[in-house]
Amino acid sequence: MTELLSNYVAGRWQAGNGAGTPLFDPVLGTELVRVDAGGLDLAEGFGFARETGGAGLRALTYKQRAGLLAAVVKVLQANRDAYYEIATANSGTVKNDSAVDIDGAIFTLGQYAKWGDALGDVHALRDGDAVKLGKEPVFQSQHLQVPTRGVALFINAFNFPSWGLWEKAAPALLSGVPVIVKPATATAWLTQRMVRDVVEAGVLPAGALSVVCGSSAGLMDQLQGFDVVSFTGSADTGAVIRSHAAVAQRSVRVNIEADSLNSALLLPDAAPDSESFKLLVREVVREMTVKSGQKCTAIRRILVPAALYDATAEAIGAKLAGITVGNPRNEGVRMGSLVSRGQLDSVREGLEALKAQAGVLYDGSQAQLVDADPAVAACIGPVLLGARDADAAQRVHDVEVFGPVATLLPYRDLDHAVALAHRGQGSLVTSLYGADEAALGRAAVQLAASHGRVHVITPDVAQAHTGHGNVMPHSLHGGPGRAGGGAELGGLRALDFYHRRAAVQASPGVLGQLGLAQA
Ligand code: NAP
């Protein structure tokens, strides 16, 4: 029997009362650990976090809580090697891909520690300046942001067990709001291990951080009016969360990050030998292969001028041919596996659905695996599809294949390209490649309405840009419509979700005291 991972709830480690759900190595097929959340007293757990955790965090100032984030960074850095081992075993990722999850989390926490430190020793945040309410300035209105007096429940997706926790926990803890995380079952081990290390290091107040591994049953039922829930996962589960009584009746604030048909767009003036063309090709290949395409921000649709369709297919295909796929422990492997055989089935199914409307331009799906048994490993090589009639191929704008798959689409002119990007019905990110700054600026403004982030790459930023799919804490993460309508990160904007805004109407003398008193 493998180890049954404990849950950390109500300030103590508690095992579930069931046999547990096994977690597997997706390359070797071996069982690693088990998780179970059966029999937990969730009411006690949520109450403890809300009261003890909330009070402990709110007793501190923003600057002091920033210090907690910095302490968490140290704990995670000290245990980094163990996290890489777990990621290789449970997520099947090569080292560079594990880094996106693990070091991306540490970087994000460190960044919020810096931003929080600058907020100073205050307990509430002023929101704008005070304005006088009458002719004389003796009675004024000041908007104020105070931490919500509830818990933040995170229900996370399988593809980022580390970053998914910490990119949400950083702004929540900095805001003074305790966190309860429920990682996706398939990869819960890394999340649980990180929480365990932070709890054992004793760097956070009691009740500030809890973890429930296993079934999500009953979690949403615990939420009360001042709590918040942040969900990352499929649109279908997102719809279940949104329609739960906690949200629909008790006004629990909800943030949803769902699936997304992100695009990359080569501007009309690019020639096949141009720097912009090469930058697009490089980025598409990177996005298709990092974490085997299991990134919510990955490029799914590639929009190019019709005249460059064949040249682009050839250039991307040539680079994909050099991608080795298999066991991430083998130094020669560039791309590891998907997270499970179940995901492999789902990628194959999605590919078949797309193939009904798109041709295959490069097929790595049958390529030989390095050091891995195709009958066991959840590995699949990259596949580039293409549809010459981008308008008719509706599924390409609809079906998210969560793996190393993207579709090339030709456009007539820039208006057509922008219209095709909008066909994603709201996406997390689009990237633009070109050299004409005026055209790029116009396109960026047009695309901003349906995208959370517009990543514009000109030759002069070739070395400096942070990557289409890389979520930087400085920029908004989330997208309208189909992408879930969520908003995470974006610097201190992320704190809004964990705060309540109120207007205080008082004399300047009273207003001068705000922020100093404990919230
Ligand atoms: P999922 O099946 O929707 O699961 C997401 C989470 O919800 C898991 O923790 C899951 O727990 C839990 N869950 C399942 N049913 C639930 C219910 N009825 N009530 C409450 N929680 C429930 O999604 P996934 O397959 O893990 O993730 C893949 C999807 O996530 C992709 O579509 C991808 O695009 C999206 N994603 C989006 C972002 C973003 O930032 N926008 C980031 C990453 C991934 P169990 O694991 O225990 O079932």
Side-chain angles (χ1 to χ4, degrees):
M1 266 290 209
T2 53
E3 182 193 351
L4 179 66
L5 299 181
S6 271
N7 305 286
Y8 189 68
V9 181
R12 56 185 196 279
W13 289 103
Q14 306 183 43
N17 63 8
T21 305
L23 274 55
F24 293 98
D25 181 319
V27 178
L28 306 178
T30 47
E31 184 178 320
L32 299 167
V33 289
R34 286 168 301 125
V35 294
D36 191 75
L40 297 178
D41 185 343
L42 294 178
E44 183 203 17
F46 276 68
F48 183 79
R50 201 178 281 123
E51 276 128 45
T52 308
L57 287 168
R58 289 195 306 272
L60 305 174
T61 63
Y62 287 85
K63 191 181 171 75
Q64 287 170 323
R65 292 195 294 262
L68 299 182
L69 299 187
V72 171
V73 166
K74 280 196 183 144
V75 175
L76 299 183
Q77 265 164 348
N79 293 286
R80 219 168 135 260
D81 290 350
Y83 305 149
Y84 272 83
E85 274 177 36
I86 293 175
T88 303
N90 194 195
S91 293
T93 39
V94 295
K95 212 166 179 198
N96 281 347
D97 292 355
S98 303
V100 181
D101 192 26
I102 296 165
D103 293 323
I106 294 174
F107 174 74
T108 302
L109 273 163
Q111 194 60 53
Y112 273 96
K114 274 189 213 148
W115 287 327
D117 191 65
L119 290 176
D121 277 316
V122 292
H123 291 276
L125 299 175
R126 283 169 193 280
D127 180 8
D129 294 328
V131 289
K132 58 183 186 176
L133 290 168
K135 239 179 175 173
E136 300 301 324
V138 291
F139 192 59
Q140 303 187 352
S141 175
Q142 168 72 61
H143 282 93
L144 197 64
Q145 293 254 60
V146 291
T148 191
R149 289 188 167 230
V151 298
L153 171 64
F154 301 157
I155 300 178
N156 284 353
F158 66 76
N159 56 340
F160 281 105
S162 163
W163 178 82
L165 163 59
W166 297 112
E167 61 104 10
K168 293 179 183 180
L173 294 172
L174 179 58
S175 298
V177 178
V179 166
I180 298 175
V181 60
K182 185 261 177 278
T185 296
T187 55
W189 191 13
L190 181 53
T191 310
Q192 195 267 3
R193 174 58 189 264
M194 288 178 144
V195 172
R196 197 186 91 184
D197 290 341
V198 170
V199 167
E200 281 179 2
V203 294
L204 293 178
L209 183 61
S210 309
V211 62
V212 176
C213 304
S215 164
S216 57
L219 290 174
M220 290 293 296
D221 300 335
Q222 296 302 325
L223 295 177
Q224 300 176 2
F226 298 154
D227 296 335
V228 300
V229 56
S230 181
F231 168 80
T232 305
S234 64
D236 288 348
T237 314
V240 172
I241 303 281
R242 219 190 282 281
S243 59
H244 190 279
V247 178
Q249 289 165 25
R250 299 198 286 279
S251 305
V252 166
R253 192 178 281 170
V254 62
N255 189 75
I256 294 193
E257 299 290 350
D259 48 21
S260 177
L261 274 302
N262 312 295
S263 50
L265 197 174
L266 182 65
L267 259 72
D269 63 329
D273 57 353
S274 67
E275 191 59 18
S276 301
F277 179 87
K278 289 178 197 151
L279 286 167
L280 168 108
V281 169
R282 192 202 300 168
E283 201 61 11
V284 166
V285 171
R286 178 155 65 178
E287 285 297 309
M288 287 179 72
T289 54
V290 169
K291 284 180 78 70
S292 300
Q294 297 170 110
K295 267 181 24 225
C296 52
T297 50
I299 296 169
R300 308 291 177 200
R301 300 175 299 151
I302 309 149
L303 308 172
V304 296
L308 295 189
Y309 182 84
D310 292 325
T312 315
E314 203 177 303
I316 295 174
K319 278 199 184 294
L320 290 177
I323 304 288
T324 43
V325 185
N327 191 332
R329 296 163 186 89
N330 186 311
E331 294 278 314
V333 166
R334 165 85 184 277
M335 192 169 95
S337 76
L338 298 173
V339 76
S340 64
R341 289 294 286 196
Q343 277 302 307
L344 180 60
D345 290 343
S346 146
V347 165
R348 285 184 176 144
E349 216 174 277
L351 257 175
E352 288 313 307
L354 292 188
K355 279 186 195 168
Q357 296 184 345
V360 178
L361 301 178
Y362 173 83
D363 188 0
S365 67
Q366 305 303 323
Q368 206 173 354
L369 303 182
V370 180
D371 224 1
D373 178 355
V376 175
C379 295
I380 184 168
V383 179
L384 179 69
L385 301 174
R388 285 195 187 267
D389 186 344
D391 292 303
Q394 180 54 36
R395 283 190 190 171
V396 166
H397 306 287
D398 250 2
V399 178
E400 182 202 46
V401 179
F402 209 56
V405 179
T407 307
L408 186 63
L409 300 166
Y411 68 79
R412 290 185 300 275
D413 51 33
L414 193 51
D415 285 345
H416 186 212
V418 169
L420 289 170
H422 285 315
R423 288 269 297 270
Q425 299 295 317
S427 304
L428 294 171
V429 52
T430 184
S431 51
L432 313 181
Y433 305 78
D436 178 344
E437 290 176 347
L440 286 163
R442 270 197 309 277
V445 172
Q446 286 178 306
L447 290 162
S450 61
H451 294 79
R453 181 160 58 88
V454 182
H455 183 75
V456 185
I457 304 179
T458 42
D460 56 321
V461 301
Q463 300 307 320
H465 83 88
T466 46
H468 163 107
N470 239 358
V471 178
M472 299 297 287
H474 314 66
S475 305
L476 176 76
H477 175 58
R482 173 176 181 149
E488 291 173 357
L489 301 173
L492 291 174
R493 285 173 194 83
L495 271 56
D496 287 1
F497 184 64
Y498 303 98
H499 281 74
R500 300 284 152 173
R501 181 180 280 118
V504 180
Q505 299 175 322
S507 69
V510 172
L511 294 185
Q513 298 301 310
L514 300 180
L516 302 176
Q518 190 181 321

